[in-house]
């Protein structure tokens, strides 16, 4: 069976990456692409790397244009997709790459985003540990899916095994992330210009203000934590794509090194797209460029009494578009890895 797809926000980074991956999907027909200010222009003008989709023209983003497809992807800025989702009730599967349907707490939404709160959808991180198994079990029957925040899913995948196994203390987490500016979207912003980024590293949303914090807390509570307190500091670095997240958490008293390592090995030993590296090995962002993989390195720092987890992802693939398509595959009953790869691009 071939499924027809519409992608909104198709001229942006997330929309473009969704299209790049869907273009190689044998069960998908990309029928419609939409935008706002760029409507009426050829898609290829804004996504010149998508040569196989040169025949498509960007249409207006309206419920009427998006309706009538088997699947709709919404790749819109935070706070904008909710206005469309209520009008897409007849679409069998809708996947939101924005934040509008990620959070279960209206209080958290008000504190970190503001505006109208929309109902939470199935969270699009299949490998994430939950109280009753893994999140993929909920995605298999989902009709509405919220793709994750790239920083949030990276940190959550980093720490959920330790939380679920009870070997780390989720009330004492510190995460520092080196991130590429593509995660901020394609809109022109002075602080994201090359002349502002090259040759420097810039922290932002410091001191508990980043919008992905409640998403991490939500995921780790679902993994079994009683309380989640996290110091979260992202740092913009001069690479177009990528996240390197270094997260530490206090070791639970009495657990052994073997128990700690077993938590991550047991959680991800059978996973295709989340891989624990051998002892002493740590990932680079270059190793996941273009791939749907999260590579994890684990260290046990007994002197500090903490576990250190270093995770690398491509923020536009595993962090966003790849997670969305992996979740789509599950919802459609297709092989989970359809149109996705574990192989990066090098050099």
């Amino acid at each position: 069976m071939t499924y027809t797809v519409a992608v909104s926000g198709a001229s942006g980074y997330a929309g473009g990456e969704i299209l790049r991956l869907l273009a190689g999907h044998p069960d998908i027909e990309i029928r419609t692409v939409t935008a706002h200010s760029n409507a009426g222009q050829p898609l290829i003008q804004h996504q010149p790397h998508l040569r196989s989709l040169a025949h498509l023209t960007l249409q207006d983003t309206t419920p009427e244009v998006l309706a009538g497809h088997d699947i709709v992807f919404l790749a819109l800025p935070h706070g904008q997709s909710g206005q469309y989702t209520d009008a897409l009730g007849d679409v069998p599967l809708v996947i939101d790459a924005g934040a509008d349907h990620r959070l279960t707490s209206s209080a958290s939404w008000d504190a970190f985003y503001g505006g109208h709160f929309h109902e939470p959808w199935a969270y699009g991180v299949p490998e994430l540990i939950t109280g009753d198994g893994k999140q993929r079990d909920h995605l298999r029957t989902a009709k509405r899916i919220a793709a994750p925040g790239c920083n949030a899913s990276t940190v959550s995948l980093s720490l959920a095994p330790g939380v679920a196994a009870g070997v780390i203390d989720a009330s004492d987490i510190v995460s520092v992330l080196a991130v590429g500016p593509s995660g901020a979207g394609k809109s022109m912003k002075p602080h994201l210009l090359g002349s502002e980024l090259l040759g420097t590293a810039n922290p932002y949303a410091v001191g508990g203000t980043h919008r992905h914090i409640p998403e991490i807390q939500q995921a780790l509570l679902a993994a079994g934590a009683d309380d989640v307190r996290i110091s979260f500091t992202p740092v913009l670095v001069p690479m177009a794509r990528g996240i390197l997240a270094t997260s530490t958490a206090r070791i639970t008293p009495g657990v052994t090194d073997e128990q700690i390592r077993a938590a991550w090995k047991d959680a991800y030993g059978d996973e295709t797209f989340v891989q624990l590296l051998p002892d002493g090995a740590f990932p680079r962002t270059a190793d996941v460029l273009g791939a749907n993989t999260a590579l994890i390195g684990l260290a046990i720092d007994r002197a500090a009494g903490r576990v250190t987890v270093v995770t690398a992802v491509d923020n536009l693939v595993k962090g966003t578009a790849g997670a969305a398509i992996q979740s789509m595959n599950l919802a459609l009953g297709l092989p989970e890895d359809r149109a996705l790869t574990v192989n990066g691009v090098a050099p």
Side-chain angles (χ1 to χ4, degrees):
M1 177 176 179
T2 299
Y3 299 91
T4 59
V5 169
V7 177
S8 69
S11 59
Y13 287 139
E17 194 70 356
I18 289 169
L19 289 168
R20 183 180 74 85
L21 297 174
L22 288 177
H25 199 301
D27 303 293
I28 294 298
E29 176 196 347
I30 301 170
R31 181 172 291 177
T32 302
V33 292
T34 78
H36 287 288
S37 59
N38 296 319
Q41 301 173 14
L43 173 68
I44 202 73
Q45 181 175 325
H46 297 275
Q47 308 289 5
H49 60 298
L50 300 179
R51 307 311 299 177
S52 67
L53 304 180
H55 60 287
L56 294 173
T57 298
L58 293 163
Q59 301 183 48
D60 288 320
T61 300
T62 67
E64 294 74 21
V65 170
L66 296 174
H69 298 82
D70 298 315
I71 307 163
V72 170
F73 286 88
L74 300 168
L76 302 173
H78 304 322
Q80 292 191 19
S81 57
Q83 64 183 306
Y84 301 104
T85 54
D86 291 342
L88 296 176
D90 293 335
V91 175
L93 179 60
V94 180
I95 302 172
D96 184 12
D100 292 33
H101 295 278
R102 291 175 191 160
L103 298 184
T104 59
S105 166
S106 60
S108 293
W109 178 266
D110 291 341
F112 285 85
Y113 291 92
H116 184 67
F117 175 74
H118 296 275
E119 64 172 328
W121 289 356
Y123 192 50
V125 185
E127 302 90 352
L128 195 62
I129 297 172
T130 64
D132 55 358
K134 287 194 175 179
Q135 184 61 16
R136 64 166 47 88
D137 298 325
H138 301 278
L139 291 165
R140 288 194 174 101
T141 58
K143 304 300 180 185
R144 298 291 183 269
I145 295 170
C150 52
N151 296 317
S153 60
T154 304
V155 174
S156 299
L157 287 169
S158 298
L159 298 173
V163 169
V167 300
I168 60 173
D169 179 2
S171 70
D172 183 8
I173 296 169
V174 177
S175 292
V176 179
L177 296 80
V179 302
S182 58
K186 206 171 185 179
S187 298
M188 189 68 70
K189 304 178 181 73
H191 72 287
L192 299 180
L193 294 172
S195 56
E196 301 291 335
L197 282 174
L198 295 176
T200 186
N202 308 306
Y204 67 100
V206 179
T209 62
H210 197 284
R211 290 174 168 179
H212 287 176
I213 289 174
E215 193 176 334
I216 296 167
Q217 293 171 322
Q218 178 176 294
L220 296 183
L221 287 170
D226 295 323
D227 181 30
V228 180
R229 299 181 190 179
I230 179 170
S231 172
F232 179 91
T233 306
V235 181
L236 280 174
V237 297
M239 59 183 182
R241 293 172 178 246
I243 296 172
L244 188 72
T246 301
S247 302
T248 76
R250 192 167 56 207
I251 298 171
T252 302
V255 302
T256 66
D257 289 9
E258 290 73 21
Q259 289 173 313
I260 293 170
R261 295 190 186 281
W264 276 264
K265 290 178 180 177
D266 292 345
Y268 298 137
D270 295 329
E271 293 290 351
T272 299
F273 295 119
V274 182
Q275 300 179 13
L276 178 65
L277 299 180
D279 294 352
F282 297 93
R284 310 172 304 163
T285 56
D287 301 330
V288 295
L289 182 65
N292 193 51
T293 45
L295 298 183
I296 298 176
L298 177 69
I300 301 170
D301 186 348
R302 284 293 177 182
R306 303 182 73 85
V307 170
T308 299
V309 184
V310 182
T311 303
V313 305
D314 183 324
N315 58 292
L316 291 178
V317 188
K318 186 57 175 168
T320 306
I325 290 167
Q326 187 180 347
S327 299
M328 178 200 75
N329 286 335
L330 284 163
L332 297 176
L334 299 172
E336 190 172 334
D337 62 351
R338 186 69 59 87
L340 300 170
T341 181
V342 297
N343 297 324
V345 178

